[in-house]
Amino acid sequence: MASAPGMASMAAKPSKEQCRQFLKMGIAAMQSSATREILKDPAIKRPGDELKKIQRQGWDQLGFDQDIGCQALEKIEENDHDLMEVKQEFMVASMTAYLQSLEDRKPPTLENSKRLPREVAVEFFDACNVKMQFPPFQAELVAHVQQHSEPPGPKIIAAQREILELLGYEADHGCRELERLPKDNPDDQDLQRQFQQWAYVAQSTGTQIASMVMRAKMNPELVRRIEKARSEVGQMSQKEQADHLTRMQKKWEIFSKLPSADQAAYMDKQSEDQKMDLIKTQVLLTHARMAAHHHAQHQHMAAGPGGTAGGGGGGGG
């Protein structure tokens, strides 16, 4: 017995051109005033989830199973530059629509005494994670590092505080509530996981942006050596890493105490192997500082006055 055409297409995988069509349809839907009005509805508790439903409905219009269609998108190869560009445009449109919905839904008055409900905390984590990936915001972070020659922690903290207020909680009160979450919900493993992921995303975004700006100022040869050192460190066992730090301890103490200009002159006098040893030492010590900082965040991630826990991490770098 032959299958009905509709059923056959539902079981099939979309072609490259059909993936492009889905993405273009999705971009148009997310940029439409109709979608913006839907997401304003206060009856919708999670606008991000509603936006995903709207996106996935595009596969229904094309006659494909939603899960099969989404799997096809995940398999788009990075060397397919044209389709990857459309996919990136889709992702930015999705972020834009979601963040706009939070602005549209901001309550007229802010809560400054009630506890932060679990569902609001989860929305806050999701919104912050989206904001950290949002290209226009990342451009603002780059500009901050270039202008102030410091990690973008202040910009990240300001964005987190703004999101708290978009969700209806006065920023200082919301920060205090966020501090209490791990202690008040010790058995809620999913909430603990989302809390830790939020802090990690903020911290890693700040570190990556600061590193990117720093690398742009370096000469190409130094960048090459750093990348090579990172690769070699990644292949070392923990014992080999510890042995390297022990062997280089005295030399690193001498080098690290020199002024920046003298450090450059010192490096110029070293052989290629000696230069690589010093750079590997710096890579290992940087990793150790980041790991210690991240561990401290996970212990209770105490926020500074007027800040938030993850935002402080975002400024570390």
Side-chain angles (χ1 to χ4, degrees):
M1 178 177 175
S3 299
M7 293 181 64
S9 63
M10 290 294 283
K13 296 179 181 179
S15 67
K16 177 177 168 179
E17 188 53 42
Q18 287 164 329
C19 285
R20 184 194 310 278
Q21 188 178 359
F22 168 83
L23 293 169
K24 290 290 189 181
M25 289 168 53
I27 292 167
M30 289 183 287
Q31 292 176 342
S32 71
S33 58
T35 294
R36 184 173 178 180
E37 288 303 315
I38 289 172
L39 298 180
K40 285 181 182 179
D41 186 352
I44 295 173
K45 300 303 181 186
R46 299 294 307 279
D49 290 346
E50 186 67 23
L51 187 60
K52 289 177 185 176
K53 290 179 184 178
I54 294 171
Q55 294 168 352
R56 289 170 65 90
Q57 286 169 2
W59 291 120
D60 298 339
Q61 298 176 44
L62 294 174
F64 291 98
D65 176 84
Q66 293 184 358
D67 291 335
I68 292 175
C70 291
Q71 288 169 10
L73 292 180
E74 292 174 4
K75 293 178 181 177
I76 294 174
E77 296 181 359
E78 290 191 8
N79 59 8
D80 190 339
H81 301 299
D82 184 46
L83 195 54
M84 282 297 293
E85 185 176 333
V86 181
K87 184 179 178 181
Q88 177 65 20
E89 186 182 351
F90 177 93
M91 293 170 64
V92 173
S94 179
M95 295 182 207
T96 302
Y98 172 66
L99 294 172
Q100 180 64 59
S101 76
L102 298 184
E103 293 187 23
D104 291 340
R105 296 161 62 92
K106 182 180 179 180
T109 57
L110 299 179
E111 181 56 60
N112 59 14
S113 60
K114 290 184 179 178
R115 301 301 305 275
L116 186 72
R118 186 187 192 281
E119 60 270 20
V120 176
V122 171
E123 191 74 58
F124 170 78
F125 297 148
D126 287 350
C128 286
N129 292 342
V130 169
K131 187 78 170 181
M132 293 304 109
Q133 300 172 62
F134 192 43
F137 180 66
Q138 291 189 342
E140 291 179 21
L141 298 184
V142 169
H144 178 92
V145 176
Q146 291 172 333
Q147 182 177 353
H148 299 283
S149 298
E150 67 174 16
K155 290 287 292 185
I156 290 175
I157 291 174
Q160 292 173 328
R161 291 170 62 83
E162 179 184 1
I163 289 171
L164 279 170
E165 299 206 340
L166 290 178
L167 296 176
Y169 279 73
E170 188 275 326
D172 288 337
H173 173 61
C175 290
R176 291 190 291 269
E177 287 297 301
L178 286 170
E179 274 191 73
R180 299 181 55 162
L181 280 179
K183 189 188 301 182
D184 290 352
N185 301 273
D187 299 323
D188 191 335
Q189 295 301 312
D190 184 57
L191 187 63
Q192 295 276 351
R193 177 189 61 77
Q194 292 186 69
F195 184 93
Q196 292 176 2
Q197 182 184 26
W198 158 69
Y200 174 76
V201 169
Q203 183 260 342
S204 61
T205 298
T207 300
Q208 289 167 9
I209 294 292
S211 297
M212 181 181 70
V213 175
M214 181 180 70
R215 284 198 302 272
K217 295 180 179 180
M218 295 177 182
N219 68 65
E221 187 59 26
L222 179 55
V223 173
R224 182 195 66 78
R225 288 193 180 107
I226 291 174
E227 295 303 325
K228 182 181 177 184
R230 285 176 175 162
S231 176
E232 292 180 4
V233 164
Q235 297 171 17
M236 295 166 67
S237 67
Q238 288 188 345
K239 183 178 184 305
E240 288 171 333
Q241 292 180 7
D243 289 346
H244 178 90
L245 290 175
T246 299
R247 177 169 62 85
M248 293 294 296
Q249 182 177 358
K250 289 185 179 180
K251 191 167 188 176
W252 180 258
E253 286 178 358
I254 294 171
F255 175 76
S256 62
K257 291 177 182 177
L258 294 173
S260 297
D262 292 344
Q263 285 183 353
Y266 183 90
M267 283 288 279
D268 287 341
K269 295 177 182 178
Q270 306 301 304
S271 68
E272 182 63 22
D273 286 345
Q274 289 171 329
K275 289 175 182 176
M276 289 304 300
D277 279 343
L278 281 166
I279 295 172
K280 281 190 279 190
T281 301
Q282 185 173 29
V283 168
L284 285 167
L285 292 173
T286 299
H287 285 180
R289 284 196 297 269
M290 289 175 61
H293 182 66
H294 192 43
H295 177 73
Q297 284 183 320
H298 285 184
Q299 292 306 302
H300 279 307
M301 301 184 183
T308 69

